[in-house]
Amino acid sequence: MKGSKQSAAVRPKIVVIGGGTGLSVMLRGLKEKPLDITAIVTVADDGGSSGILRNELQIPPPGDIRNVLLALADVEPLLSNLLNYRFNSGTGLAGHSLGNLMLAAITDISGDFVSGVRELSRVLAVRGRVLPAAGQAIVLKGEMMDGTIVTGESMIPKAGKAIKRVFIEPANVEPLAEAVEALQEADAILIGPGSLYTSIIPNLIVPKLAEAIVASDALKMFVCNVMTQPGETDNYSVGDHLDAIYHHIGYHLFDYVIVNDGEIPPQVQSKYAEKGAKAVHLDLDEVKKRGYKVIADRLVLFRTYLRHDAERLSQHIFQLVDDWMTRKR
């Protein structure tokens, strides 16, 4: 089997970029493959527990980092549930997750956020590396089509207006040196899934990260979201997602686009329609016309929410990387 031969040799290095639930779901499947994973995670979150800890302790927001650490961790389900536990009462405690508080505490003990993430990774036996995109919190701003500016990652989707572009402050923020190095050494770079304007693009507009991705000769893949996101990607097709990234970066970044073409049951569509979300339309001809190769498959599972099928998705990703490495050899 290809996978077993490869695991005996050097594992291909894959850098995964994004944030939010979609990234965590995918990483749970990807960590089972013989890959050397580095996850680069956005530090623009300013809502909920993350936002409070960010403001009060002057640390990067821990929420997305916590989710990714747990996705890659080799821990008992009980410990995972414990770190995701969110207090629902208590003055000052309500709304905070235990994992966020632990990241804040270990940051204080170790002296800085990056060292704290590294130490917690060791404690949780994380399979791979988790790196914040930068060592400091970033303020995300959105310019709407009507020219208004909205400040804050959590506020942009609530504005109820079409987004023209997002940008960060400080604009010249220094990315983590290890993140740039990981991109320079990568055999494959994988972007998405996740909130397009508030999880994915904020990483790509950190100046030196974008430069490292563009300069890399690694295999570059984009995993498109299954559903549109109200206030962010209303009525977006797969091509619209790719166009948004192109307009921010100025380059066609990807070799492959991985999309769901599995049918979503009508009752599930109705449930999402109530919140203003619908399936992302696959405009296959348009995407191919732009020069992207497309991998389309039934990639969704529905339990309480619609999620990517982590096992099926990670198998496609691994196969692409494995074929790429074979061609390179």
Side-chain angles (χ1 to χ4, degrees), residues 52-312:
I52 293 167
L53 292 171
R54 166 184 173 144
N55 293 333
E56 292 189 358
L57 302 178
Q58 301 303 302
I59 62 171
D64 279 346
I65 297 276
R66 180 199 82 238
N67 284 331
V68 171
L69 283 171
L70 288 175
L72 289 173
D74 208 354
V75 293
E76 294 294 327
L78 178 60
L79 181 54
S80 182
N81 292 339
L82 188 63
L83 293 175
N84 274 328
Y85 176 76
R86 203 170 287 276
F87 295 92
N88 51 29
S89 61
T91 307
L93 268 182
H96 284 299
S97 77
L98 184 59
N100 283 2
L101 294 175
M102 279 183 68
L103 258 173
I106 206 163
T107 296
D108 204 29
I109 291 165
S110 63
D112 68 272
F113 187 69
V114 176
S115 299
V117 172
R118 196 179 294 122
E119 287 302 309
L120 195 55
S121 297
R122 194 173 52 78
V123 169
L124 296 175
V126 164
R127 298 190 208 175
R129 283 190 302 169
V130 179
L131 302 172
Q136 66 182 89
I138 292 168
V139 176
L140 186 67
K141 296 189 174 186
E143 181 187 352
M144 303 298 148
M145 288 296 186
D146 66 1
T148 56
I149 304 294
V150 179
T151 299
E153 178 265 355
S154 61
M155 300 309 296
I156 290 168
K158 294 176 184 173
K161 299 175 180 181
I163 300 166
K164 183 178 181 182
R165 68 179 182 114
V166 291
F167 56 101
I168 55 174
E169 286 185 356
N172 62 345
V173 65
E174 279 293 317
L176 209 63
E178 291 149 281
V180 175
E181 192 179 300
L183 287 166
Q184 289 169 340
E185 295 176 355
D187 296 304
I189 297 170
L190 176 65
I191 294 169
S195 301
L196 181 64
Y197 288 104
T198 52
S199 285
I200 292 172
I201 291 175
N203 287 312
L204 301 180
I205 54 179
V206 173
K208 289 179 185 172
L209 286 188
E211 287 168 21
I213 296 167
V214 170
S216 171
D217 62 358
L219 171 69
K220 294 166 194 168
M221 299 165 282
F222 177 66
V223 178
C224 192
N225 293 338
V226 174
M227 305 296 288
T228 61
Q229 188 166 349
E232 199 159 328
T233 54
D234 298 288
N235 299 313
Y236 269 39
S237 66
V238 174
D240 291 331
H241 282 76
L242 293 163
D243 286 349
I245 293 171
Y246 176 81
H247 291 318
H248 280 80
I249 311 304
Y251 288 90
H252 286 288
L253 286 184
F254 312 109
D255 302 298
Y256 285 92
V257 178
I258 303 172
V259 297
N260 171 62
D261 71 349
E263 198 173 324
I264 298 167
Q267 67 272 22
V268 176
Q269 291 194 47
S270 298
K271 181 178 176 178
Y272 275 84
E274 288 169 13
K275 297 173 185 173
K278 65 180 186 180
V280 172
H281 170 63
L282 172 53
D283 46 346
L284 188 60
D285 291 341
E286 285 298 317
V287 173
K288 285 183 172 178
K289 206 183 289 180
R290 289 165 174 77
Y292 303 106
K293 299 183 187 79
V294 179
I295 303 290
D297 193 8
R298 182 172 53 79
L299 296 174
V300 288
L301 291 173
F302 179 74
R303 293 193 178 104
T304 311
Y305 299 98
L306 206 58
R307 296 281 184 253
H308 274 105
D309 181 332
E311 195 174 325
R312 204 172 181 114

